[in-house]
PDB file of all heavy atoms in Angstrom:
ATOM      1  N   TRP A 113      25.409   9.774  24.133  1.00 94.00           N
ATOM      2  CA  TRP A 113      25.240   8.745  23.106  1.00 94.00           C
ATOM      3  C   TRP A 113      23.798   8.247  23.009  1.00 94.00           C
ATOM      4  O   TRP A 113      23.427   7.562  22.042  1.00 94.00           O
ATOM      5  CB  TRP A 113      26.161   7.561  23.397  1.00 94.00           C
ATOM      6  CG  TRP A 113      25.856   6.845  24.688  1.00 94.00           C
ATOM      7  CD1 TRP A 113      26.353   7.128  25.909  1.00 94.00           C
ATOM      8  CD2 TRP A 113      24.939   5.768  24.849  1.00 94.00           C
ATOM      9  NE1 TRP A 113      25.832   6.286  26.854  1.00 94.00           N
ATOM     10  CE2 TRP A 113      24.960   5.433  26.230  1.00 94.00           C
ATOM     11  CE3 TRP A 113      24.121   5.044  24.001  1.00 94.00           C
ATOM     12  CZ2 TRP A 113      24.181   4.406  26.755  1.00 94.00           C
ATOM     13  CZ3 TRP A 113      23.358   4.026  24.517  1.00 94.00           C
ATOM     14  CH2 TRP A 113      23.382   3.713  25.883  1.00 94.00           C
ATOM     15  N   LEU A 114      22.993   8.624  24.021  1.00 95.00           N
ATOM     16  CA  LEU A 114      21.585   8.197  23.970  1.00 95.00           C
ATOM     17  C   LEU A 114      20.872   8.725  22.725  1.00 95.00           C
ATOM     18  O   LEU A 114      19.895   8.133  22.263  1.00 95.00           O
ATOM     19  CB  LEU A 114      20.854   8.671  25.228  1.00 95.00           C
ATOM     20  CG  LEU A 114      21.298   8.033  26.552  1.00 95.00           C
ATOM     21  CD1 LEU A 114      20.533   8.645  27.713  1.00 95.00           C
ATOM     22  CD2 LEU A 114      21.089   6.521  26.516  1.00 95.00           C
ATOM     23  N   VAL A 115      21.372   9.852  22.191  1.00 94.00           N
ATOM     24  CA  VAL A 115      20.720  10.398  20.983  1.00 94.00           C
ATOM     25  C   VAL A 115      20.856   9.440  19.805  1.00 94.00           C
ATOM     26  O   VAL A 115      20.041   9.466  18.875  1.00 94.00           O
ATOM     27  CB  VAL A 115      21.297  11.789  20.614  1.00 94.00           C
ATOM     28  CG1 VAL A 115      21.059  12.794  21.717  1.00 94.00           C
ATOM     29  CG2 VAL A 115      22.777  11.692  20.262  1.00 94.00           C
ATOM     30  N   LEU A 116      21.876   8.565  19.845  1.00 96.00           N
ATOM     31  CA  LEU A 116      22.047   7.610  18.748  1.00 96.00           C
ATOM     32  C   LEU A 116      20.939   6.564  18.729  1.00 96.00           C
ATOM     33  O   LEU A 116      20.649   5.952  17.691  1.00 96.00           O
ATOM     34  CB  LEU A 116      23.415   6.929  18.864  1.00 96.00           C
ATOM     35  CG  LEU A 116      24.635   7.868  18.826  1.00 96.00           C
ATOM     36  CD1 LEU A 116      25.920   7.077  18.976  1.00 96.00           C
ATOM     37  CD2 LEU A 116      24.653   8.681  17.539  1.00 96.00           C
ATOM     38  N   LEU A 117      20.314   6.342  19.908  1.00 95.00           N
ATOM     39  CA  LEU A 117      19.200   5.381  19.957  1.00 95.00           C
ATOM     40  C   LEU A 117      17.968   5.892  19.222  1.00 95.00           C
ATOM     41  O   LEU A 117      17.062   5.116  18.917  1.00 95.00           O
ATOM     42  CB  LEU A 117      18.850   5.080  21.415  1.00 95.00           C
ATOM     43  CG  LEU A 117      19.892   4.301  22.228  1.00 95.00           C
ATOM     44  CD1 LEU A 117      19.403   4.094  23.652  1.00 95.00           C
ATOM     45  CD2 LEU A 117      20.204   2.965  21.577  1.00 95.00           C
ATOM     46  N   THR A 118      17.949   7.195  18.952  1.00 96.00           N
ATOM     47  CA  THR A 118      16.787   7.730  18.227  1.00 96.00           C
ATOM     48  C   THR A 118      16.829   7.386  16.741  1.00 96.00           C
ATOM     49  O   THR A 118      15.825   7.543  16.042  1.00 96.00           O
ATOM     50  CB  THR A 118      16.705   9.257  18.385  1.00 96.00           C
ATOM     51  OG1 THR A 118      17.845   9.862  17.743  1.00 96.00           O
ATOM     52  CG2 THR A 118      16.671   9.664  19.853  1.00 96.00           C
ATOM     53  N   ILE A 119      17.997   6.916  16.255  1.00 96.00           N
ATOM     54  CA  ILE A 119      18.101   6.588  14.818  1.00 96.00           C
ATOM     55  C   ILE A 119      17.147   5.469  14.428  1.00 96.00           C
ATOM     56  O   ILE A 119      16.325   5.641  13.507  1.00 96.00           O
ATOM     57  CB  ILE A 119      19.562   6.239  14.447  1.00 96.00           C
ATOM     58  CG1 ILE A 119      20.451   7.474  14.646  1.00 96.00           C
ATOM     59  CG2 ILE A 119      19.646   5.773  12.990  1.00 96.00           C
ATOM     60  CD1 ILE A 119      21.935   7.202  14.451  1.00 96.00           C
ATOM     61  N   PRO A 120      17.194   4.283  15.083  1.00 96.00           N
ATOM     62  CA  PRO A 120      16.221   3.246  14.706  1.00 96.00           C
ATOM     63  C   PRO A 120      14.787   3.660  15.009  1.00 96.00           C
ATOM     64  O   PRO A 120      13.856   3.252  14.302  1.00 96.00           O
ATOM     65  CB  PRO A 120      16.643   2.035  15.549  1.00 96.00           C
ATOM     66  CG  PRO A 120      17.433   2.600  16.680  1.00 96.00           C
ATOM     67  CD  PRO A 120      18.127   3.804  16.130  1.00 96.00           C
ATOM     68  N   LEU A 121      14.598   4.481  16.048  1.00 95.00           N
ATOM     69  CA  LEU A 121      13.240   4.945  16.362  1.00 95.00           C
ATOM     70  C   LEU A 121      12.702   5.824  15.237  1.00 95.00           C
ATOM     71  O   LEU A 121      11.526   5.723  14.860  1.00 95.00           O
ATOM     72  CB  LEU A 121      13.240   5.732  17.677  1.00 95.00           C
ATOM     73  CG  LEU A 121      13.599   4.943  18.942  1.00 95.00           C
ATOM     74  CD1 LEU A 121      13.604   5.876  20.158  1.00 95.00           C
ATOM     75  CD2 LEU A 121      12.631   3.798  19.155  1.00 95.00           C
ATOM     76  N   PHE A 122      13.560   6.676  14.695  1.00 94.00           N
ATOM     77  CA  PHE A 122      13.141   7.587  13.627  1.00 94.00           C
ATOM     78  C   PHE A 122      12.722   6.810  12.380  1.00 94.00           C
ATOM     79  O   PHE A 122      11.626   7.011  11.841  1.00 94.00           O
ATOM     80  CB  PHE A 122      14.279   8.548  13.289  1.00 94.00           C
ATOM     81  CG  PHE A 122      14.005   9.425  12.109  1.00 94.00           C
ATOM     82  CD1 PHE A 122      13.140  10.514  12.206  1.00 94.00           C
ATOM     83  CD2 PHE A 122      14.603   9.162  10.876  1.00 94.00           C
ATOM     84  CE1 PHE A 122      12.887  11.325  11.106  1.00 94.00           C
ATOM     85  CE2 PHE A 122      14.350   9.963   9.774  1.00 94.00           C
ATOM     86  CZ  PHE A 122      13.499  11.049   9.891  1.00 94.00           C
ATOM     87  N   TYR A 123      13.589   5.911  11.925  1.00 94.00           N
ATOM     88  CA  TYR A 123      13.317   5.199  10.675  1.00 94.00           C
ATOM     89  C   TYR A 123      12.125   4.221  10.807  1.00 94.00           C
ATOM     90  O   TYR A 123      11.246   4.192   9.942  1.00 94.00           O
ATOM     91  CB  TYR A 123      14.559   4.440  10.211  1.00 94.00           C
ATOM     92  CG  TYR A 123      15.599   5.352   9.627  1.00 94.00           C
ATOM     93  CD1 TYR A 123      16.809   5.574  10.280  1.00 94.00           C
ATOM     94  CD2 TYR A 123      15.382   6.015   8.421  1.00 94.00           C
ATOM     95  CE1 TYR A 123      17.766   6.428   9.750  1.00 94.00           C
ATOM     96  CE2 TYR A 123      16.322   6.869   7.885  1.00 94.00           C
ATOM     97  CZ  TYR A 123      17.521   7.073   8.555  1.00 94.00           C
ATOM     98  OH  TYR A 123      18.441   7.919   8.025  1.00 94.00           O
ATOM     99  N   THR A 124      12.112   3.448  11.881  1.00 95.00           N
ATOM    100  CA  THR A 124      10.996   2.500  12.035  1.00 95.00           C
ATOM    101  C   THR A 124       9.685   3.228  12.303  1.00 95.00           C
ATOM    102  O   THR A 124       8.625   2.756  11.914  1.00 95.00           O
ATOM    103  CB  THR A 124      11.271   1.506  13.174  1.00 95.00           C
ATOM    104  OG1 THR A 124      11.487   2.229  14.402  1.00 95.00           O
ATOM    105  CG2 THR A 124      12.492   0.663  12.863  1.00 95.00           C
ATOM    106  N   GLY A 125       9.769   4.395  12.950  1.00 93.00           N
ATOM    107  CA  GLY A 125       8.559   5.173  13.199  1.00 93.00           C
ATOM    108  C   GLY A 125       7.959   5.704  11.909  1.00 93.00           C
ATOM    109  O   GLY A 125       6.742   5.638  11.694  1.00 93.00           O
ATOM    110  N   VAL A 126       8.818   6.220  11.012  1.00 93.00           N
ATOM    111  CA  VAL A 126       8.340   6.750   9.728  1.00 93.00           C
ATOM    112  C   VAL A 126       7.719   5.636   8.882  1.00 93.00           C
ATOM    113  O   VAL A 126       6.626   5.779   8.321  1.00 93.00           O
ATOM    114  CB  VAL A 126       9.497   7.423   8.957  1.00 93.00           C
ATOM    115  CG1 VAL A 126       9.052   7.776   7.538  1.00 93.00           C
ATOM    116  CG2 VAL A 126       9.961   8.673   9.685  1.00 93.00           C
ATOM    117  N   ILE A 127       8.420   4.488   8.797  1.00 92.00           N
ATOM    118  CA  ILE A 127       7.928   3.380   7.965  1.00 92.00           C
ATOM    119  C   ILE A 127       6.639   2.786   8.550  1.00 92.00           C
ATOM    120  O   ILE A 127       5.705   2.453   7.816  1.00 92.00           O
ATOM    121  CB  ILE A 127       9.012   2.288   7.843  1.00 92.00           C
ATOM    122  CG1 ILE A 127      10.221   2.850   7.088  1.00 92.00           C
ATOM    123  CG2 ILE A 127       8.475   1.063   7.110  1.00 92.00           C
ATOM    124  CD1 ILE A 127      11.421   1.929   7.065  1.00 92.00           C
ATOM    125  N   ALA A 128       6.591   2.660   9.882  1.00 91.00           N
ATOM    126  CA  ALA A 128       5.380   2.121  10.517  1.00 91.00           C
ATOM    127  C   ALA A 128       4.190   3.031  10.271  1.00 91.00           C
ATOM    128  O   ALA A 128       3.060   2.566  10.049  1.00 91.00           O
ATOM    129  CB  ALA A 128       5.610   1.963  12.020  1.00 91.00           C
ATOM    130  N   PHE A 129       4.414   4.350  10.280  1.00 92.00           N
ATOM    131  CA  PHE A 129       3.326   5.307  10.028  1.00 92.00           C
ATOM    132  C   PHE A 129       2.860   5.221   8.581  1.00 92.00           C
ATOM    133  O   PHE A 129       1.663   5.243   8.302  1.00 92.00           O
ATOM    134  CB  PHE A 129       3.811   6.717  10.347  1.00 92.00           C
ATOM    135  CG  PHE A 129       2.781   7.777  10.065  1.00 92.00           C
ATOM    136  CD1 PHE A 129       1.722   7.992  10.926  1.00 92.00           C
ATOM    137  CD2 PHE A 129       2.871   8.549   8.909  1.00 92.00           C
ATOM    138  CE1 PHE A 129       0.771   8.970  10.654  1.00 92.00           C
ATOM    139  CE2 PHE A 129       1.918   9.523   8.631  1.00 92.00           C
ATOM    140  CZ  PHE A 129       0.877   9.732   9.511  1.00 92.00           C
ATOM    141  N   GLU A 130       3.808   5.121   7.635  1.00 91.00           N
ATOM    142  CA  GLU A 130       3.447   5.060   6.219  1.00 91.00           C
ATOM    143  C   GLU A 130       2.672   3.788   5.893  1.00 91.00           C
ATOM    144  O   GLU A 130       1.685   3.819   5.153  1.00 91.00           O
ATOM    145  CB  GLU A 130       4.709   5.127   5.360  1.00 91.00           C
ATOM    146  CG  GLU A 130       5.390   6.484   5.362  1.00 91.00           C
ATOM    147  CD  GLU A 130       6.702   6.488   4.584  1.00 91.00           C
ATOM    148  OE1 GLU A 130       7.176   5.389   4.204  1.00 91.00           O
ATOM    149  OE2 GLU A 130       7.245   7.575   4.359  1.00 91.00           O
ATOM    150  N   LYS A 131       3.111   2.659   6.435  1.00 90.00           N
ATOM    151  CA  LYS A 131       2.457   1.382   6.143  1.00 90.00           C
ATOM    152  C   LYS A 131       1.319   1.062   7.099  1.00 90.00           C
ATOM    153  O   LYS A 131       0.640   0.051   6.942  1.00 90.00           O
ATOM    154  CB  LYS A 131       3.492   0.248   6.188  1.00 90.00           C
ATOM    155  CG  LYS A 131       4.542   0.359   5.098  1.00 90.00           C
ATOM    156  CD  LYS A 131       5.441  -0.876   5.073  1.00 90.00           C
ATOM    157  CE  LYS A 131       6.427  -0.810   3.924  1.00 90.00           C
ATOM    158  NZ  LYS A 131       7.266  -2.032   3.850  1.00 90.00           N
ATOM    159  N   LYS A 132       1.143   1.923   8.100  1.00 90.00           N
ATOM    160  CA  LYS A 132       0.095   1.734   9.107  1.00 90.00           C
ATOM    161  C   LYS A 132       0.226   0.372   9.793  1.00 90.00           C
ATOM    162  O   LYS A 132      -0.751  -0.352   9.998  1.00 90.00           O
ATOM    163  CB  LYS A 132      -1.293   1.882   8.467  1.00 90.00           C
ATOM    164  CG  LYS A 132      -1.532   3.276   7.902  1.00 90.00           C
ATOM    165  CD  LYS A 132      -2.904   3.414   7.291  1.00 90.00           C
ATOM    166  CE  LYS A 132      -3.118   4.819   6.732  1.00 90.00           C
ATOM    167  NZ  LYS A 132      -4.442   4.975   6.111  1.00 90.00           N
ATOM    168  N   LYS A 133       1.483   0.026  10.125  1.00 91.00           N
ATOM    169  CA  LYS A 133       1.781  -1.222  10.823  1.00 91.00           C
ATOM    170  C   LYS A 133       2.621  -0.901  12.050  1.00 91.00           C
ATOM    171  O   LYS A 133       3.849  -0.858  11.970  1.00 91.00           O
ATOM    172  CB  LYS A 133       2.522  -2.197   9.910  1.00 91.00           C
ATOM    173  CG  LYS A 133       1.697  -2.692   8.739  1.00 91.00           C
ATOM    174  CD  LYS A 133       2.484  -3.683   7.907  1.00 91.00           C
ATOM    175  CE  LYS A 133       1.642  -4.221   6.749  1.00 91.00           C
ATOM    176  NZ  LYS A 133       2.409  -5.188   5.930  1.00 91.00           N
ATOM    177  N   PRO A 134       1.989  -0.661  13.198  1.00 91.00           N
ATOM    178  CA  PRO A 134       2.730  -0.299  14.409  1.00 91.00           C
ATOM    179  C   PRO A 134       3.771  -1.329  14.819  1.00 91.00           C
ATOM    180  O   PRO A 134       4.757  -0.987  15.473  1.00 91.00           O
ATOM    181  CB  PRO A 134       1.626  -0.185  15.477  1.00 91.00           C
ATOM    182  CG  PRO A 134       0.369   0.024  14.711  1.00 91.00           C
ATOM    183  CD  PRO A 134       0.541  -0.703  13.423  1.00 91.00           C
ATOM    184  N   VAL A 135       3.581  -2.594  14.437  1.00 91.00           N
ATOM    185  CA  VAL A 135       4.505  -3.641  14.854  1.00 91.00           C
ATOM    186  C   VAL A 135       5.909  -3.420  14.297  1.00 91.00           C
ATOM    187  O   VAL A 135       6.891  -3.950  14.818  1.00 91.00           O
ATOM    188  CB  VAL A 135       3.960  -5.025  14.420  1.00 91.00           C
ATOM    189  CG1 VAL A 135       4.089  -5.218  12.927  1.00 91.00           C
ATOM    190  CG2 VAL A 135       4.665  -6.142  15.171  1.00 91.00           C
ATOM    191  N   ILE A 136       6.031  -2.625  13.236  1.00 93.00           N
ATOM    192  CA  ILE A 136       7.340  -2.333  12.647  1.00 93.00           C
ATOM    193  C   ILE A 136       8.172  -1.446  13.578  1.00 93.00           C
ATOM    194  O   ILE A 136       9.399  -1.514  13.587  1.00 93.00           O
ATOM    195  CB  ILE A 136       7.167  -1.660  11.273  1.00 93.00           C
ATOM    196  CG1 ILE A 136       6.483  -2.627  10.292  1.00 93.00           C
ATOM    197  CG2 ILE A 136       8.501  -1.206  10.689  1.00 93.00           C
ATOM    198  CD1 ILE A 136       6.159  -2.024   8.943  1.00 93.00           C
ATOM    199  N   PHE A 137       7.504  -0.619  14.360  1.00 94.00           N
ATOM    200  CA  PHE A 137       8.200   0.346  15.217  1.00 94.00           C
ATOM    201  C   PHE A 137       9.057  -0.365  16.258  1.00 94.00           C
ATOM    202  O   PHE A 137       8.636  -1.351  16.869  1.00 94.00           O
ATOM    203  CB  PHE A 137       7.174   1.253  15.905  1.00 94.00           C
ATOM    204  CG  PHE A 137       7.789   2.295  16.796  1.00 94.00           C
ATOM    205  CD1 PHE A 137       8.623   3.262  16.278  1.00 94.00           C
ATOM    206  CD2 PHE A 137       7.526   2.289  18.152  1.00 94.00           C
ATOM    207  CE1 PHE A 137       9.191   4.224  17.099  1.00 94.00           C
ATOM    208  CE2 PHE A 137       8.083   3.249  18.985  1.00 94.00           C
ATOM    209  CZ  PHE A 137       8.916   4.218  18.461  1.00 94.00           C
ATOM    210  N   CYS A 138      10.303   0.144  16.480  1.00 94.00           N
ATOM    211  CA  CYS A 138      11.235  -0.449  17.464  1.00 94.00           C
ATOM    212  C   CYS A 138      10.844  -0.024  18.882  1.00 94.00           C
ATOM    213  O   CYS A 138      11.548   0.779  19.530  1.00 94.00           O
ATOM    214  CB  CYS A 138      12.665  -0.027  17.155  1.00 94.00           C
ATOM    215  SG  CYS A 138      13.419  -0.949  15.827  1.00 94.00           S
ATOM    216  N   TYR A 139       9.745  -0.572  19.347  1.00 95.00           N
ATOM    217  CA  TYR A 139       9.268  -0.191  20.678  1.00 95.00           C
ATOM    218  C   TYR A 139      10.257  -0.562  21.784  1.00 95.00           C
ATOM    219  O   TYR A 139      10.443   0.219  22.726  1.00 95.00           O
ATOM    220  CB  TYR A 139       7.906  -0.835  20.932  1.00 95.00           C
ATOM    221  CG  TYR A 139       7.300  -0.439  22.249  1.00 95.00           C
ATOM    222  CD1 TYR A 139       6.736   0.830  22.424  1.00 95.00           C
ATOM    223  CD2 TYR A 139       7.300  -1.316  23.332  1.00 95.00           C
ATOM    224  CE1 TYR A 139       6.193   1.203  23.640  1.00 95.00           C
ATOM    225  CE2 TYR A 139       6.740  -0.948  24.548  1.00 95.00           C
ATOM    226  CZ  TYR A 139       6.196   0.311  24.701  1.00 95.00           C
ATOM    227  OH  TYR A 139       5.657   0.687  25.905  1.00 95.00           O
ATOM    228  N   PRO A 140      10.932  -1.722  21.743  1.00 96.00           N
ATOM    229  CA  PRO A 140      11.911  -2.040  22.801  1.00 96.00           C
ATOM    230  C   PRO A 140      13.023  -1.008  22.911  1.00 96.00           C
ATOM    231  O   PRO A 140      13.504  -0.720  24.012  1.00 96.00           O
ATOM    232  CB  PRO A 140      12.454  -3.405  22.370  1.00 96.00           C
ATOM    233  CG  PRO A 140      11.362  -4.010  21.564  1.00 96.00           C
ATOM    234  CD  PRO A 140      10.752  -2.861  20.818  1.00 96.00           C
ATOM    235  N   VAL A 141      13.448  -0.436  21.774  1.00 96.00           N
ATOM    236  CA  VAL A 141      14.492   0.598  21.810  1.00 96.00           C
ATOM    237  C   VAL A 141      13.967   1.850  22.506  1.00 96.00           C
ATOM    238  O   VAL A 141      14.685   2.502  23.280  1.00 96.00           O
ATOM    239  CB  VAL A 141      14.973   0.931  20.383  1.00 96.00           C
ATOM    240  CG1 VAL A 141      16.005   2.054  20.410  1.00 96.00           C
ATOM    241  CG2 VAL A 141      15.548  -0.304  19.715  1.00 96.00           C
ATOM    242  N   LEU A 142      12.701   2.201  22.249  1.00 96.00           N
ATOM    243  CA  LEU A 142      12.103   3.355  22.911  1.00 96.00           C
ATOM    244  C   LEU A 142      12.060   3.146  24.425  1.00 96.00           C
ATOM    245  O   LEU A 142      12.399   4.053  25.201  1.00 96.00           O
ATOM    246  CB  LEU A 142      10.694   3.593  22.372  1.00 96.00           C
ATOM    247  CG  LEU A 142       9.885   4.701  23.066  1.00 96.00           C
ATOM    248  CD1 LEU A 142      10.569   6.059  22.882  1.00 96.00           C
ATOM    249  CD2 LEU A 142       8.462   4.745  22.520  1.00 96.00           C
ATOM    250  N   VAL A 143      11.663   1.957  24.852  1.00 95.00           N
ATOM    251  CA  VAL A 143      11.606   1.648  26.282  1.00 95.00           C
ATOM    252  C   VAL A 143      13.000   1.740  26.903  1.00 95.00           C
ATOM    253  O   VAL A 143      13.182   2.302  27.991  1.00 95.00           O
ATOM    254  CB  VAL A 143      10.996   0.245  26.498  1.00 95.00           C
ATOM    255  CG1 VAL A 143      11.136  -0.173  27.960  1.00 95.00           C
ATOM    256  CG2 VAL A 143       9.537   0.234  26.083  1.00 95.00           C
ATOM    257  N   THR A 144      14.005   1.213  26.211  1.00 96.00           N
ATOM    258  CA  THR A 144      15.381   1.267  26.708  1.00 96.00           C
ATOM    259  C   THR A 144      15.851   2.709  26.834  1.00 96.00           C
ATOM    260  O   THR A 144      16.510   3.083  27.824  1.00 96.00           O
ATOM    261  CB  THR A 144      16.318   0.495  25.762  1.00 96.00           C
ATOM    262  OG1 THR A 144      15.858  -0.859  25.644  1.00 96.00           O
ATOM    263  CG2 THR A 144      17.737   0.503  26.283  1.00 96.00           C
ATOM    264  N   LEU A 145      15.528   3.538  25.841  1.00 95.00           N
ATOM    265  CA  LEU A 145      15.926   4.948  25.873  1.00 95.00           C
ATOM    266  C   LEU A 145      15.306   5.675  27.061  1.00 95.00           C
ATOM    267  O   LEU A 145      15.991   6.417  27.789  1.00 95.00           O
ATOM    268  CB  LEU A 145      15.508   5.623  24.557  1.00 95.00           C
ATOM    269  CG  LEU A 145      15.789   7.134  24.454  1.00 95.00           C
ATOM    270  CD1 LEU A 145      17.261   7.429  24.583  1.00 95.00           C
ATOM    271  CD2 LEU A 145      15.245   7.683  23.135  1.00 95.00           C
ATOM    272  N   ILE A 146      14.012   5.452  27.278  1.00 96.00           N
ATOM    273  CA  ILE A 146      13.335   6.106  28.410  1.00 96.00           C
ATOM    274  C   ILE A 146      13.935   5.638  29.735  1.00 96.00           C
ATOM    275  O   ILE A 146      14.179   6.435  30.644  1.00 96.00           O
ATOM    276  CB  ILE A 146      11.820   5.792  28.366  1.00 96.00           C
ATOM    277  CG1 ILE A 146      11.181   6.423  27.126  1.00 96.00           C
ATOM    278  CG2 ILE A 146      11.137   6.293  29.623  1.00 96.00           C
ATOM    279  CD1 ILE A 146       9.743   6.027  26.911  1.00 96.00           C
ATOM    280  N   TYR A 147      14.214   4.350  29.840  1.00 95.00           N
ATOM    281  CA  TYR A 147      14.777   3.793  31.077  1.00 95.00           C
ATOM    282  C   TYR A 147      16.149   4.397  31.369  1.00 95.00           C
ATOM    283  O   TYR A 147      16.446   4.805  32.501  1.00 95.00           O
ATOM    284  CB  TYR A 147      14.876   2.279  30.954  1.00 95.00           C
ATOM    285  CG  TYR A 147      15.546   1.613  32.138  1.00 95.00           C
ATOM    286  CD1 TYR A 147      14.932   1.597  33.388  1.00 95.00           C
ATOM    287  CD2 TYR A 147      16.797   1.016  32.008  1.00 95.00           C
ATOM    288  CE1 TYR A 147      15.542   0.990  34.476  1.00 95.00           C
ATOM    289  CE2 TYR A 147      17.410   0.406  33.084  1.00 95.00           C
ATOM    290  CZ  TYR A 147      16.784   0.401  34.319  1.00 95.00           C
ATOM    291  OH  TYR A 147      17.397  -0.194  35.396  1.00 95.00           O
ATOM    292  N   LEU A 148      16.999   4.480  30.359  1.00 95.00           N
ATOM    293  CA  LEU A 148      18.343   5.026  30.553  1.00 95.00           C
ATOM    294  C   LEU A 148      18.304   6.509  30.888  1.00 95.00           C
ATOM    295  O   LEU A 148      19.089   6.992  31.736  1.00 95.00           O
ATOM    296  CB  LEU A 148      19.183   4.786  29.293  1.00 95.00           C
ATOM    297  CG  LEU A 148      19.526   3.318  28.993  1.00 95.00           C
ATOM    298  CD1 LEU A 148      20.238   3.202  27.657  1.00 95.00           C
ATOM    299  CD2 LEU A 148      20.397   2.742  30.110  1.00 95.00           C
ATOM    300  N   MET A 149      17.418   7.257  30.245  1.00 94.00           N
ATOM    301  CA  MET A 149      17.301   8.690  30.542  1.00 94.00           C
ATOM    302  C   MET A 149      16.842   8.906  31.988  1.00 94.00           C
ATOM    303  O   MET A 149      17.376   9.773  32.707  1.00 94.00           O
ATOM    304  CB  MET A 149      16.314   9.342  29.567  1.00 94.00           C
ATOM    305  CG  MET A 149      16.839   9.438  28.145  1.00 94.00           C
ATOM    306  SD  MET A 149      15.656  10.183  26.997  1.00 94.00           S
ATOM    307  CE  MET A 149      15.559  11.840  27.662  1.00 94.00           C
ATOM    308  N   CYS A 150      15.847   8.104  32.416  1.00 95.00           N
ATOM    309  CA  CYS A 150      15.376   8.229  33.805  1.00 95.00           C
ATOM    310  C   CYS A 150      16.480   7.836  34.791  1.00 95.00           C
ATOM    311  O   CYS A 150      16.601   8.422  35.876  1.00 95.00           O
ATOM    312  CB  CYS A 150      14.145   7.352  34.020  1.00 95.00           C
ATOM    313  SG  CYS A 150      12.683   7.914  33.130  1.00 95.00           S
ATOM    314  N   GLY A 151      17.302   6.845  34.409  1.00 92.00           N
ATOM    315  CA  GLY A 151      18.373   6.423  35.302  1.00 92.00           C
ATOM    316  C   GLY A 151      19.512   7.414  35.367  1.00 92.00           C
ATOM    317  O   GLY A 151      19.984   7.771  36.462  1.00 92.00           O
ATOM    318  N   PHE A 152      19.969   7.902  34.206  1.00 93.00           N
ATOM    319  CA  PHE A 152      21.100   8.831  34.170  1.00 93.00           C
ATOM    320  C   PHE A 152      20.759  10.199  34.769  1.00 93.00           C
ATOM    321  O   PHE A 152      21.558  10.792  35.487  1.00 93.00           O
ATOM    322  CB  PHE A 152      21.581   9.016  32.732  1.00 93.00           C
ATOM    323  CG  PHE A 152      22.399   7.862  32.225  1.00 93.00           C
ATOM    324  CD1 PHE A 152      22.167   7.341  30.957  1.00 93.00           C
ATOM    325  CD2 PHE A 152      23.390   7.285  33.001  1.00 93.00           C
ATOM    326  CE1 PHE A 152      22.909   6.281  30.482  1.00 93.00           C
ATOM    327  CE2 PHE A 152      24.146   6.216  32.519  1.00 93.00           C
ATOM    328  CZ  PHE A 152      23.909   5.714  31.262  1.00 93.00           C
ATOM    329  N   PHE A 153      19.577  10.706  34.441  1.00 92.00           N
ATOM    330  CA  PHE A 153      19.265  12.085  34.806  1.00 92.00           C
ATOM    331  C   PHE A 153      18.426  12.216  36.075  1.00 92.00           C
ATOM    332  O   PHE A 153      18.385  13.291  36.678  1.00 92.00           O
ATOM    333  CB  PHE A 153      18.533  12.781  33.647  1.00 92.00           C
ATOM    334  CG  PHE A 153      19.337  12.810  32.385  1.00 92.00           C
ATOM    335  CD1 PHE A 153      18.926  12.100  31.271  1.00 92.00           C
ATOM    336  CD2 PHE A 153      20.524  13.529  32.316  1.00 92.00           C
ATOM    337  CE1 PHE A 153      19.664  12.112  30.100  1.00 92.00           C
ATOM    338  CE2 PHE A 153      21.265  13.555  31.136  1.00 92.00           C
ATOM    339  CZ  PHE A 153      20.847  12.842  30.030  1.00 92.00           C
ATOM    340  N   ALA A 154      17.730  11.157  36.495  1.00 92.00           N
ATOM    341  CA  ALA A 154      16.906  11.252  37.702  1.00 92.00           C
ATOM    342  C   ALA A 154      17.203  10.130  38.693  1.00 92.00           C
ATOM    343  O   ALA A 154      16.543  10.057  39.731  1.00 92.00           O
ATOM    344  CB  ALA A 154      15.421  11.233  37.326  1.00 92.00           C
TER     345      ALA A 154
END
């Protein structure tokens, strides 16, 4: 189900790149995804 966390990352990443506003990007979701992957798999 971790792949579902990439949905907000995908959309906010595209919009942040187009508008050149990094603050739009869901950075907390990215951090959560990395943390869970490191916990589950390592």
Side-chain angles (χ1 to χ4, degrees):
W113 63 271
L114 293 177
V115 298
L116 301 179
L117 292 179
T118 65
I119 296 174
L121 295 178
F122 174 75
Y123 285 111
T124 58
V126 171
I127 295 172
F129 178 77
E130 290 176 350
K131 295 187 176 183
K132 297 181 180 179
K133 294 182 178 180
V135 73
I136 296 175
F137 181 62
C138 281
Y139 183 75
V141 177
L142 175 63
V143 171
T144 303
L145 177 60
I146 294 173
Y147 175 68
L148 292 175
M149 290 179 65
C150 292
F152 283 135
F153 301 114

